[in-house]
Every structure is written in C-alpha cells, then in structure tokens.
Amino acid sequence: MPSPPPFVCSACRQSARILRSSNAFSKRRYTRPTFAPKPTLDLKHIRQNPGLYEQNCIDRNYAPYAENSWRILELHEQVVAQQREAVELRQRNNVLGKELKKLDGGDRRASMLEEAKALKGKLAEFEGREKLAQEEMEKLALELPNLSSLHTPVGTEPAVLGHINGNTAPKGKGNRSHVEIGRSLDLLDFEASATTSGWGFYFLKNEAALLEQALIQYALSVALKRGWKVMTPPSLVYSHIASATGFLPRDQNGETQIYSIGHESLVLAGTAEIPFAGSQANKTLPSHSLPLKVIGPSRCYRAEAGARGVDTKGLYRVHEFTKVEMFAWTSPPSPPSSSAVDIEGGFDTAEEEVGQQTSQAEDVFDEMISIQTEILAELGLHARVLEMPTTDLGASATRKVDIEAYFPSRTAIDEGYGEVTSASMCTDYQARRLNTKVKFESGGAKSGVAFAHTVNGTAMAIPRILAALLENGWDEVSGTVEVPGVLRKWMPGELGRIGGGRG
Amino acid sequence: MACRCLARRIQLLNPQRRSYTRPPNAPKPAIDLKHIRQNPGLYEQNCIDRNYKHQARNSWRILELHEQWQEQQQQGRSLREQNNHLRRQLADAASRSGDAEGGTKSTDKKDSLLEEAKVLKERIGQIEGREAAIQLEIESLALELPNLSSQHTPNGEEPEVIGYINEMPSSNHTPRSHVDIGAQLELLDFASAATTSGWGYYFLLNEAALLEQALIQYSLSMALARRWKVVSPPSTVYSHIAAACGFQPRDQHGEQQVYAIEQAEKDKAKPALSLAGTAEIPLAGMKVNSILEETNLPLKVIGASRCYRAEAGARGVDTKGLYRVHEFTKVEMFGWTMPPLSQSTAHGSFGDADTAKPPSTVLFEEMVEMQKDILGSLGLHCRILEMPSTDLGASASRKIDIEAFFPSRLEHSGGWGEVTSASICTDYQSRRLGTRARTARSGGKGGLEWPHTVNGTAMAVPRVLAAIMENGWDEPTQTLAIPTVLRPWMGGIERVKKG
C-alpha cells in the first residue's frame, strides 16, 4: 500500500500560496548564496508609508510591485497578531509548567502534559510561520525600487536643465552617419564582427582604435586633476553583487539585460558601477575618509534584449564596449533629530528641507556632472542636460541626470539627441544591500554607524562618443574627420585629422 | 550515480571530442586529408610527440575509413550500373506491354523488374548514407589532429634556451613579491575582488591602473612605428570560431578553459557565444570565408582586448597575485602571410634545400624582435625559449616563449615566468576558417591558396606589471621605479611611493 501524503497544516498551505502568487512575474527564483552580503532594509519606513511606496512604483513603471508595500504591512500585522497570541500561549505554558511540578501523577498530570505538548507544537508552528513571513517581507522589499528625489519629474518626460556648446543644435553638419564615415575611412568593421560574434559587436580600426585609447586616458586625466583615484575593476562579477547593486536578472519588462556565464555564478557587468559598489561590501568606512571618489575603465557587456532596430544601427547600441565610470561613497546626511544615527530608521528627510546645506552625495553628484560637462565641452560636442523622469530611473537611483549629445545623422529621431552620459544618486539603496556602512567618530556632531550613500556617473562611454565625434567632426569637402584638440596629445604623432592622404 | 561517473570518464577519455555541432553558417573546414593518408605514421608520431595520445591512431583510422569509403564507392558504382541496365529493360518492357502477345507474362516481368529496381534504389541509398557517415567521421578525426611541428621545435618536454635579454639583476635584499609591494603602495586589491568576483580577480589601483594604460599605449606605439595596423576587437565570440582557431572549451586534461555565455531560452537556436581568452580568436575571425589579395600580404594587425580564461585546475601557491588570473588586458599581434612555395616547407618538418625563408617565419621573427624590444626597454631580465612539441597546443607548428625573471619566484622554476608567446600556425587556422589568398603563381584569377597565420603577445598586462613591480622595487627607499619608456604616459611620474 502506498504511504499517505505528508500532512501540511492549513497555515503552511497558505504561506505556500503567498509565496507562489508573488512569483508570478519572475520566472527564475533567485537565491542569495550564504557568503553574500546580507541586506538590511528599512521595513519600518515601508510599513509607515505604504501609499508612498505604492505611488512610487506606479510613477516608476514598476506596476507589478505596487502592492508590495501593502502586502508587507499585512504580513507584519499577521506576525504581530501571532506574536501576541504566542505571548498568551507562553504564559499558559509557564503556568502549566509550574502546576506540573506540583503534581506527581494521575489523570490531571497526564492531561496537562498533553496540553503542554500541544502548546509547544503550536509555538513551533508560529515560529516557522513567522520566519516565512519575515523572508517574504524581505523579498517583497528587495523588489521595490528606490524612492524618487524632489528634483525628479514624475512620468515619462525629462526636463531640460541646460545645454553644452550652444543652446541649439549646430547647423551645417550634414547628416552623414558614423557608419558611412567609418566605412569610407576604414575605421569601423561591422561585417567582420557579424562573422565572429553576431549582431551588436564591432571592430574599431586604425585611428578609431587609437581614439578609444586616447579618450580613456583623457577622461581619466580630467578626474585625476580633481583628486579622484583611479581603480580598474573586473568585468566578471558574482550575480548576487549585480543584484545588490540594482541590476536584477530581469528588468521591469521581464527581459534579461545581463549575460550569465554557464556553470558559474558569475555574470558580465554592464557597468563598472557593479564591481565598484561591490568592492566595499561588508565594509565599514570611517567617515573622515569620505567622500571616497574613484574612476576607472572597464569592458562592459549588455544583452540589450528587446532593443534591436533601425534606431540602433552602428555604434549606437552595442553588446560590448569600453566605459570609464565614476563611483563615490559618501557620508549620509544626518537626520535632523538625534546625534546617534539609527540604522533602522531615517529616510533622508534632511534633503527635503529647503535651505539645508547640501549633502556630501549632492556635492559629489554635482561634481560628476561638472566633469561630464567639461569633457563634452572640450570635445566640442553640442549636448543637452536632462533631469530624468521617474520612469527612467531604474531600481537604485533616487535622482538621475543624463546628458545627450547631438548626432547629425539622427535628426529624425528625438531631434538628433542621444544619451552619452548618466549620473545617479542612489542614497543608501546599494549600501543597504551590500552592507557598506559608515562609522562616525564618537564625540563628533554625529556618532554611531549608518549606511553609506553611493553616487555613480559615466565619464566616457566610448562607442557613442566615438560616433558623435565622427559625425560632428566630419568635413564633407575634404572627406576627413577633425580630432578634438584635447585628444591630440594622447594620439600618436599628435594626429589632428583622420583621412585625407594618410600614408 | 554510476552512470554519471561513467559519462565523466568517457568525457575525460575523449576530451577533444566536439561537445557541440557546427552551426550551418560556420566556416567549413578544408583539411588536407590526402596528406594525412599519405603520411599516417608522421601524424601518429606527431600526436605522441605533442602528448595528444588519444588522437595518435586517428591518421591510421582515416586511412582505413578512406579504404572503406572507396569500397562503398565501388559498390555504389556497380549498383548504379545495374540500375541503369534495369531502367533500360523497364523502358523496353513498357513499350512491349502494348503488344497483344505480351499479356500477363510481360506484366509479370515488368513487376519483377520494378521490384528489383526498388531494392537497388534502397541499397544505393544505404551506401550513400554510409559514405556520408564515413566522411563525417573522417572529418571529425582529422579536426582532432594538432598541427605538425616545425624543424626548429625540440621533441619532448624540454624547451631550449636560445637567448637572454638584459642582465640578471643584482640585489642584496630578500625579494618582495608584487603582492606585498601592491599592498604596501596601494596598487593592488585582491580582497575586494574576491568579494565581487571570487579567486583570480583583482582591482588595479592608482599608479598600477595608470601603468596598465601606459603599457597598452607603449606596445601599440612600438607596432605603429613598424607599420602594423591597430584594431580593437570584441571579446565575445562564437564558440565555433574559437574552436576553429584551436581553442576547445576543455583542454587536453579535460579542464574547463573557456567561459561560455549562457543562452536565453528564446535564443537556444542561435550559435553559442564564449568569451575569448585571447584576441587571436576575433582577429583570425576577421578573415573568415574571405579572400586576401597577395598585394596586401603580409597583413599585420595589433589590438588590445580584455581576455578571459577559466584556468580551471590551475589554482595553487604557484599562482598567487597577478601571476594567474581569470581576466586581464592583453595586446595581441596577428598576421596573415603567403604560404611557402612547396608543401614540404609548409610544415618545415622535412624540407630540404629551400633557401628562402617562408614569409610566416619572417613575420614570426619580426614579432619576436618586437617582444624583445618591448621587454628589454622595460628593463626586465628575460630568457627566450624555443618551445618543445608538448607545449605547442593544437594550432602551432612552432612557438617561442619569452620568460621574465620574477625575483619572488626564485624557488619556483628559478624565478622564470612566461610573459609572451609567439606562434606560427601554418595553414591550420586558415583551413578551418575558410581564409584564402589569391596569388599570381597559382594561376592568377582562379588560383587560391591557404595563407599562413602567425600570432604573438605584444603585452600581457598582469605579468608584465608584476615583473615591473618586483624588478623595479627599491628596498632602501621603499619605492617603485617606473620604467623610463612608460613615463610619457604616466604624466612624468618617476617613482611610486606610499601615500
């Protein structure tokens, strides 16, 4: 005779139902390895402001997660109610225990032992349910994107903050695409890469390959002279580090944006932001060492699923490229109340107060934009600076400023503007997930331990800048491309012009 | 469990067996099967010399299979002749069936003829099937064979020292390892990389990060001065392209060498992608299914790329710090040349009086000269080795390695560590990648030959960086000297000191 199925109590069945229904949107159940940093989320703030988090999800186009905060509140209330019951049960258990000591035998003792056993079982059941509920709450909280800053426009429309190199797009640039220029000057080869690797890859040739090196060194020099430290990271990272930085295996649309390595728990980072953020995981930084500002080049890989189209020809959207990235760890702003900073509480109400001194994170954010502006200005490119709207922020950013350069060949698409840099403030979103803390000296204005605030920004994304330089530097008459003055010292022979009677 | 053990053993026994199928748009290899059939003993000995024991009988098997194929061909021919005869008979029967006299007797005859034709057709089909299977197996066996070795290549496991660069450095203090120097001067961070990525990864900090850029720029400038063309290739390549270049996912010992990129469910039908362990792969891949013009040969390209190596099974005390890593920047040289005039000198193994050096050897020697120039000007003490047959891998016919002296590794192999490699691959890669050369001597318009390919390291950043750190360390001042030739790209910094 076959053995009966194992007994599953109704509470456990309900928990299982909860777990199953919340997995409706993510196919792959993601598990964190035991040695990964343990996230510490501000569940109290979520419970106290469920409507805020719901609205935030809607604003950010994270609709599937809009109910998460309410669900967390619900689960918490169940846990609290259960805990109250457990207190009563424990009291009864204590009473029983005392009574049992007095009795020696008999029916009364036997029935009391029965009751005590049942109580013990019930308490164990409660513990199990509580643990599941805690795990579920953490999972729901991890899915929530960061809250949005006051600067961030709600919706899908960015706000123009300013321009670089003139207020309007330059005239007389023609409309030759960098693909054509690249072909005529033997600078780009997409056919070879289609054979070796498929769509979305490319070979840079001759002066284009040299420009790549020059652009990297130039970008590094701009930050170095402002005291930034250079740091070259790996591109292969643990997938849990990518997730903790805000790059989940699947994005809001269920698409995979990250390449995974078979048989390993490694992924290819789409930006140096991931290894940079991960480098300080499980560390406590002394506040006097902050802000810690690093810049470094790395090879970046992006699956860009769902992005292929006419809009993405040539170097405009590629799977693999070199990028120089800036990253900073800053001291969190102090909450207005206490001198002891509480890890559990305190979203940055300090930022909301008008006239408040800017936080360290804001200062670094502004500096990053200043570096980006300097680079694009010196490269002679016309660009516009945008305050990005809520739907564009992704998971980790509270505020994002993009700079879009002008591409003469793309005037039909978005007036020719295409993103070349991005800068994001992530508050403590990443630090809470990577367990990066800041320690304040005792006796100072602040004391205790808090989570760091992280900031990141693009210093140089090679393919698009290269494409912009080719299109904007193209001279139709001579069939040549001018090399921007600032780059010449990084080019062999201080090359000033590409094409036109080269040997 | 038992089945899994057995499967793993089988896989280890046949580490070179292709674990994937070649996608339809992949280049079709064109192996010189005739040469293998005419010299089976040569190929067998070559396999033994190269430690490719499992492939040693392949050439004999190919010969055998070829004979079977010829038999099948013969049978097929005779069957087809019978078929033709039958068809003529059927045609006659058909024309005769109109006669009043024929009746049942001719219909019977026709039926039996049809029956015979059907049987014949089946047998011919079977023979054709067997022929195709034999060809497939022959090709598979041939693809497993490594390249033949050059005359210069010593047999066995011992390399031959053929020269030195610079003098052995003198020092009166205990050598410091680059790991220590890196920690003291805040140049290397392995601990943070262990957190983000695990063993075998690293962050380069401050001057070390700048040195990486300087080393890349310096090696490119050396090549530019010699009129090499600079290329920046992708690191992501189709797995079949890597395999065609001689890079199997697992090495001769069954250890994983290549990182494979996981396919999304919806992309399962697309060809598999991997991370290249060297730019040799994408550079060679540039000319897949292409015809090079003789006037453009030798075609010499150099390019920097991020390289990824699984290096499974390589972890140990011997591999601390930057010495063996999973990810690094390398500048690679690659060239296509005219093949030599005769087949005998193609492999150089039994050439006689061919006085002119093959173009591939000329380019090979140029590469080695450049490597000597670069390493010599960086102030490193090195030795130059003619590598033995067991070290050549699949594609190389000849290989020269240069090893730099690492003071901290004196106890291991006398302190020597490989920093560059240069290989002549004859036509091994071009035959597998469909790269042809149109040459005047082979009949002008129609004449196509297989070019020879040559490759070499211009700069492998981690090891050269480690060598510079260990050799440039000054104990009394506790500082690191930056090689003079690199200073233009280092903003003029001469020494690295703490703080």
Side-chain angles (χ1 to χ4, degrees):
Chain A
M1 189 169 105
S3 53
F7 172 72
V8 182
C9 78
S10 60
C12 290
R13 255 179 282 150
Q14 194 188 29
S15 309
R17 236 176 289 142
I18 295 168
L19 290 168
R20 261 202 304 272
S21 64
S22 62
N23 282 339
F25 299 106
S26 49
K27 292 245 180 76
R28 191 160 61 177
R29 186 75 221 257
Y30 171 70
T31 43
R32 196 173 58 233
T34 44
F35 62 89
K38 195 164 160 23
T40 308
L41 301 175
D42 194 350
L43 291 170
K44 181 164 155 193
H45 194 261
I46 297 174
R47 291 196 311 266
Q48 291 177 332
N49 303 277
L52 172 66
Y53 284 85
E54 175 186 16
Q55 189 56 46
N56 186 55
C57 281
I58 293 165
D59 291 343
R60 287 192 175 224
N61 208 15
Y62 270 68
Y65 307 101
E67 298 294 309
N68 282 26
S69 51
W70 296 106
R71 194 73 198 101
I72 289 171
L73 190 52
E74 230 177 272
L75 283 166
H76 179 76
E77 277 163 11
Q78 285 176 19
V79 166
V80 165
Q82 195 183 256
Q83 281 175 341
R84 256 184 253 128
E85 218 188 306
V87 164
E88 280 176 33
L89 291 178
R90 273 194 209 96
Q91 281 174 353
R92 175 78 189 127
N93 211 17
N94 287 340
V95 165
L96 273 176
K98 287 201 192 88
E99 292 291 309
L100 276 166
K101 283 207 183 77
K102 294 186 202 153
L103 297 172
D104 262 331
D107 290 332
R108 190 123 181 272
R109 185 188 162 85
S111 77
M112 278 188 137
L113 280 171
E114 261 316 302
E115 207 192 327
K117 191 168 151 202
L119 277 175
K120 206 165 159 199
K122 198 115 201 269
L123 282 168
E125 204 185 293
F126 278 9
E127 259 173 61
R129 259 189 268 158
E130 186 173 331
K131 183 159 175 282
L132 272 175
Q134 297 288 11
E135 280 173 12
E136 180 62 11
M137 285 191 282
E138 186 189 270
K139 177 192 163 291
L140 290 165
L142 280 171
E143 287 173 350
L144 290 171
N146 205 350
L147 292 173
S148 312
S149 82
L150 289 177
H151 291 92
T152 303
V154 174
T156 55
E157 288 307 305
V160 179
L161 293 175
H163 291 88
I164 300 170
N165 285 332
N167 286 331
T168 50
K171 302 271 191 301
K173 289 276 180 191
N175 65 346
R176 220 173 255 289
S177 91
H178 62 273
V179 178
E180 290 172 60
I181 299 168
R183 190 176 302 127
S184 74
L185 291 177
D186 200 22
L187 298 172
L188 306 172
D189 193 339
F190 296 99
E191 279 88 39
S193 51
T195 306
T196 63
S197 323
W199 177 85
F201 298 94
Y202 52 95
F203 284 82
L204 300 180
K205 295 169 75 173
N206 303 310
E207 289 89 345
L210 296 171
L211 270 174
E212 179 178 34
Q213 297 302 325
L215 285 164
I216 294 169
Q217 295 212 264
Y218 166 59
L220 290 175
S221 74
V222 174
L224 271 169
K225 72 171 191 272
R226 291 171 185 241
W228 289 63
K229 290 181 163 286
V230 185
M231 193 168 157
T232 303
S235 307
L236 280 171
V237 292
Y238 285 127
S239 58
H240 66 259
I241 296 285
S243 293
T245 311
F247 294 85
L248 300 164
R250 285 176 198 282
D251 65 11
Q252 303 128 276
N253 307 310
E255 301 272 16
T256 306
Q257 295 304 331
I258 289 196
Y259 287 117
S260 296
I261 301 296
H263 310 295
E264 310 260 352
S265 51
L266 294 172
V267 299
L268 284 166
T271 162
E273 181 190 339
I274 299 173
F276 281 153
S279 70
Q280 305 305 315
N282 285 333
K283 286 193 190 156
T284 302
L285 309 171
S287 70
H288 63 76
S289 69
L290 300 180
L292 176 55
K293 307 185 293 192
V294 301
I295 180 170
S298 76
R299 200 67 172 166
C300 301
Y301 302 82
R302 298 188 183 183
E304 302 277 5
R308 186 164 168 180
V310 182
D311 181 33
T312 58
K313 232 184 152 223
L315 294 175
Y316 197 74
R317 195 176 299 277
V318 290
H319 288 309
E320 181 185 337
F321 57 101
T322 305
K323 180 166 66 64
V324 183
E325 180 79 0
M326 295 178 282
F327 198 89
W329 294 263
T330 68
S331 211
S334 51
S337 48
S338 57
S339 54
V341 181
D342 171 22
I343 289 178
E344 255 296 300
F347 176 69
D348 302 312
T349 48
E351 278 182 320
E352 297 171 10
E353 294 191 21
V354 177
Q356 185 83 4
Q357 190 186 12
T358 53
S359 64
Q360 216 180 66
E362 278 182 323
D363 288 341
V364 175
F365 183 69
D366 289 338
E367 188 183 352
M368 283 188 184
I369 296 173
S370 169
I371 291 173
Q372 294 169 335
T373 306
E374 181 183 331
I375 291 175
L376 292 170
E378 291 200 325
L379 289 176
L381 295 171
H382 167 71
R384 65 185 185 189
V385 184
L386 303 172
E387 183 78 55
M388 299 312 282
T390 47
T391 54
D392 222 277
L393 259 46
S396 56
T398 180
R399 182 181 175 199
K400 191 156 92 104
V401 167
D402 280 6
I403 303 182
E404 299 185 335
Y406 176 67
F407 292 81
S409 75
R410 292 172 62 89
T411 39
I413 312 163
D414 216 3
E415 300 159 61
Y417 289 101
E419 179 195 328
V420 285
T421 74
S422 193
S424 304
M425 290 173 67
C426 296
T427 64
D428 58 6
Y429 182 99
Q430 295 172 329
R432 280 181 175 276
R433 286 156 176 73
L434 290 167
N435 198 30
T436 304
K437 296 194 183 113
V438 176
K439 184 164 171 36
F440 298 97
E441 300 80 55
S442 52
K446 303 186 229 177
S447 62
V449 181
F451 287 105
H453 277 211
T454 54
V455 193
N456 67 79
T458 328
M460 176 64 61
I462 298 291
R464 285 209 184 162
I465 295 289
L466 195 50
L469 289 177
L470 290 177
E471 292 191 13
N472 285 283
W474 173 251
D475 174 39
E476 190 70 39
V477 173
S478 60
T480 63
V481 172
E482 187 184 358
V483 176
V486 280
L487 293 180
R488 292 179 196 179
K489 68 186 245 235
W490 305 107
M491 295 286 281
E494 308 232 333
L495 187 72
R497 193 159 278 283
I498 303 173
R502 40 142 114 92
Chain B
M1 191 58 145
C3 288
R4 254 180 283 156
C5 285
L6 188 62
R8 174 124 177 89
R9 250 201 310 202
I10 288 174
Q11 196 176 27
L12 279 174
L13 283 172
N14 303 310
Q16 295 292 328
R17 294 271 167 210
R18 251 195 342 236
S19 52
Y20 67 95
T21 42
R22 196 169 59 232
N25 60 345
K28 194 162 161 28
I31 313 292
D32 192 350
L33 295 170
K34 184 164 156 192
H35 194 259
I36 297 174
R37 291 194 312 265
Q38 290 176 335
N39 302 277
L42 173 67
Y43 283 86
E44 176 184 17
Q45 189 57 46
N46 187 55
C47 283
I48 293 166
D49 291 342
R50 288 194 175 220
N51 208 13
Y52 270 66
K53 294 197 265 298
H54 304 291
Q55 286 73 27
R57 301 299 299 173
N58 282 25
S59 50
W60 296 105
R61 187 89 188 95
I62 288 172
L63 194 51
E64 240 174 76
L65 287 168
H66 181 74
E67 279 161 18
Q68 287 178 20
W69 179 81
Q70 282 178 321
E71 254 176 59
Q72 295 290 312
Q73 285 260 295
Q74 226 178 2
Q75 281 181 36
R77 254 195 305 272
S78 102
L79 285 177
R80 277 189 202 96
E81 270 172 33
Q82 283 181 48
N83 207 20
N84 288 341
H85 182 65
L86 254 180
R87 283 228 288 270
R88 269 172 294 182
Q89 283 185 297
L90 269 168
D92 286 344
S95 60
R96 257 185 283 120
S97 65
D99 286 2
E101 247 177 57
T104 25
K105 215 163 153 208
S106 63
T107 329
D108 280 344
K109 182 97 202 285
K110 196 168 115 190
D111 282 343
S112 80
L113 282 176
L114 281 172
E115 203 43 54
E116 226 184 299
K118 191 167 150 209
V119 168
L120 265 180
K121 196 168 167 201
E122 241 176 78
R123 283 179 64 192
I124 292 174
Q126 279 171 1
I127 285 182
E128 281 172 359
R130 263 177 261 150
E131 279 175 359
I134 291 172
Q135 287 298 356
L136 213 56
E137 185 167 353
I138 288 177
E139 187 191 90
S140 179
L141 291 165
L143 281 172
E144 288 177 359
L145 290 171
N147 205 349
L148 292 174
S149 309
S150 78
Q151 278 179 306
H152 294 91
T153 302
N155 247 349
E157 310 198 328
E158 286 308 308
E160 191 192 321
V161 180
I162 58 176
Y164 288 90
I165 305 170
N166 291 335
E167 300 286 314
M168 171 73 82
S170 61
S171 95
N172 43 15
H173 63 84
T174 336
R176 303 272 310 266
S177 91
H178 64 274
V179 179
D180 287 342
I181 298 168
Q184 182 171 331
L185 295 181
E186 259 188 270
L187 297 173
L188 306 173
D189 186 347
F190 295 98
S192 299
T195 305
T196 64
S197 319
W199 175 85
Y201 298 91
Y202 52 95
F203 283 86
L204 298 180
L205 309 174
N206 304 313
E207 289 87 351
L210 294 174
L211 271 169
E212 179 177 64
Q213 299 304 318
L215 287 167
I216 295 170
Q217 291 276 59
Y218 177 57
S219 49
L220 288 178
S221 73
M222 292 284 265
L224 275 167
R226 290 167 189 251
R227 314 200 129 260
W228 285 65
K229 292 180 168 288
V230 181
V231 170
S232 182
S235 305
T236 315
V237 291
Y238 284 132
S239 307
H240 65 260
I241 297 284
C245 293
F247 294 86
Q248 295 290 348
R250 287 177 194 275
D251 65 9
Q252 297 134 278
H253 312 288
E255 303 281 5
Q256 191 76 22
Q257 290 303 318
V258 180
Y259 287 116
I261 293 180
E262 222 173 67
Q263 301 278 74
E265 268 310 311
K266 62 180 168 76
D267 290 331
K268 282 278 189 261
K270 292 197 195 151
L273 288 170
S274 309
L275 289 172
T278 163
E280 181 189 339
I281 300 171
L283 291 176
M286 284 181 91
K287 298 302 179 190
V288 156
N289 289 336
S290 303
I291 300 178
L292 306 172
E293 296 299 327
E294 185 172 354
T295 45
N296 292 331
L297 297 178
L299 179 54
K300 313 185 299 195
V301 296
I302 182 169
S305 77
R306 199 69 173 166
C307 301
Y308 304 84
R309 299 189 183 183
E311 304 272 358
R315 186 166 168 179
V317 180
D318 182 35
T319 57
K320 233 185 151 218
L322 293 175
Y323 197 75
R324 194 178 298 278
V325 290
H326 290 307
E327 180 182 338
F328 57 101
T329 305
K330 181 167 66 65
V331 185
E332 181 79 1
M333 297 179 280
F334 198 90
W336 294 262
T337 71
M338 282 280 284
L341 259 171
S342 60
Q343 171 73 303
S344 57
T345 47
H347 303 290
S349 42
F350 43 92
D352 8 56
D354 210 315
T355 46
K357 228 181 258 180
S360 47
T361 306
V362 173
L363 182 55
F364 179 69
E365 289 175 352
E366 184 183 343
M367 284 189 185
V368 175
E369 275 311 299
M370 276 176 66
Q371 293 170 335
K372 284 158 70 176
D373 276 348
I374 291 172
L375 294 170
S377 63
L378 290 173
L380 300 174
H381 173 54
C382 306
R383 66 181 188 179
I384 306 160
L385 306 172
E386 184 77 57
M387 298 312 282
S389 51
T390 54
D391 222 277
L392 260 45
S395 55
S397 132
R398 183 180 174 195
K399 189 155 95 103
I400 284 181
D401 279 7
I402 301 182
E403 298 185 334
F405 179 68
F406 292 81
S408 77
R409 290 173 60 84
L410 207 42
E411 260 91 78
H412 307 280
S413 50
W416 297 109
E418 179 196 328
V419 284
T420 71
S421 195
S423 306
I424 301 180
C425 295
T426 64
D427 58 6
Y428 184 97
Q429 293 174 328
S430 52
R431 280 178 174 277
R432 285 157 175 74
L433 295 171
T435 307
R436 324 285 298 269
R438 192 184 338 263
T439 65
R441 70 189 182 200
S442 52
K445 276 214 176 118
L448 294 176
E449 298 186 56
W450 300 106
H452 279 205
T453 56
V454 191
N455 68 78
T457 329
M459 176 61 58
V461 174
R463 286 210 184 160
V464 173
L465 188 53
I468 289 174
M469 286 169 73
E470 294 195 9
N471 287 283
W473 176 250
D474 181 47
E475 186 70 25
T477 58
Q478 298 281 300
T479 62
L480 168 64
I482 306 276
T484 320
V485 287
L486 297 179
R487 291 177 195 175
W489 290 282
M490 296 289 290
I493 306 174
E494 292 182 11
R495 281 196 173 272
V496 182
K497 48 183 179 283
K498 191 180 169 89

